[in-house]
Amino acid sequence: MAVVKLNDGNRIPALGLGIWQIPADQTSHIVSSALRMGYALVDGAAIYGNETGLGEGLRQSGVARDQVFVTTKIWNDRQGHDETLRAFDVSVARLGLEPDLLLIHWPCPQKGLYLDTWRAMIRLREAGRVKSIGVSNFMGDHLERLIGETGVTPVLNQIELHPGLQQAELRALHDRLGIVTQSWTPLGKGQAFDAAPVQAVAARTGKTPAQVILRWHIQLGCSVIPRSTDAGRLAQNLDVCDFSLTEDEMTAMATLDAGLRGGPDPRLFS
């Protein structure tokens, strides 16, 4: 699997496993199975309630710790400098390991705490407790304030991104700032599976609509974290390296953008 270089010199796999909404009692089995298939990135978060299973799954897999990129996130009610440090310690205890990447899960601008949270995360990185730090669901003004007031640019911004919500303007800002775009809900709940541009690529390549869309994300330069609990679909999601969309097909995919946000508005959610 391809990797994407982060602005701190570290690298993140272009495709990984998201574990949002995977039941806690299934997480270790699914993570272990995925890692044995060849996944090398697992995206977790404190609010998902399954950090313990993530860590257990990694250990059960037999895959070396340094071969797996682990992400977790600081939840909204744990923002603030000292709260972030405490929340990180709780996540480390649940995981049984220190993560490779720590994210602020949502900016929660009404709380006015994401700068303090970021400063705590800078401290954790400087102490060597986490390799990389980034954000999730940040808009352009949030990013610019963060960078302007701390001088530290997030390595990554994880955002809702799928054919129906392509966020071209925000992706362009990421490119200018040297921030990797990572896509959550990358398949858009299947809403574009029957769209003509997706179906055309699927027919040409013999791939599924889901594989076509995941490959589209990778060709955009994104890291992408689809979720599945089905072994067959986990294998299919990983099998997207042996074909490419043409330039014309990428252009056709761009026409599917309809601004269809399925998750919360980052400017309002807290």
Side-chain angles (χ1 to χ4, degrees), residues 106-110 137 139-142 264-270:
W106 291 87
C108 303
Q110 295 85 350
N137 301 299
M139 304 298 284
D141 56 332
H142 306 142
D265 184 336
R267 297 189 190 281
L268 303 175
F269 185 65
S270 62

Side-chain angles (χ1 to χ4, degrees), residues 97-139:
L97 54 87
E98 290 183 334
D100 299 283
L101 174 63
L102 182 65
L103 305 180
I104 305 176
H105 207 147
W106 291 87
C108 303
Q110 295 85 350
K111 294 180 183 291
L113 294 172
Y114 66 77
L115 279 170
D116 290 337
T117 300
W118 188 239
R119 291 186 176 103
M121 289 165 57
I122 294 169
R123 177 176 169 183
L124 289 167
R125 187 189 64 178
E126 290 175 343
R129 299 199 61 196
V130 63
K131 293 178 182 176
S132 298
I133 54 175
V135 296
S136 181
N137 301 299
F138 273 50
M139 304 298 284

Side-chain angles (χ1 to χ4, degrees), residues 23 32 37 66 87 96 105 135 144 157 185 215 250:
S32 178
M37 285 181 190
D66 64 2
H105 207 147
V135 296
E144 290 170 345
N157 187 16
T185 311
R215 182 66 195 180
M250 292 293 289

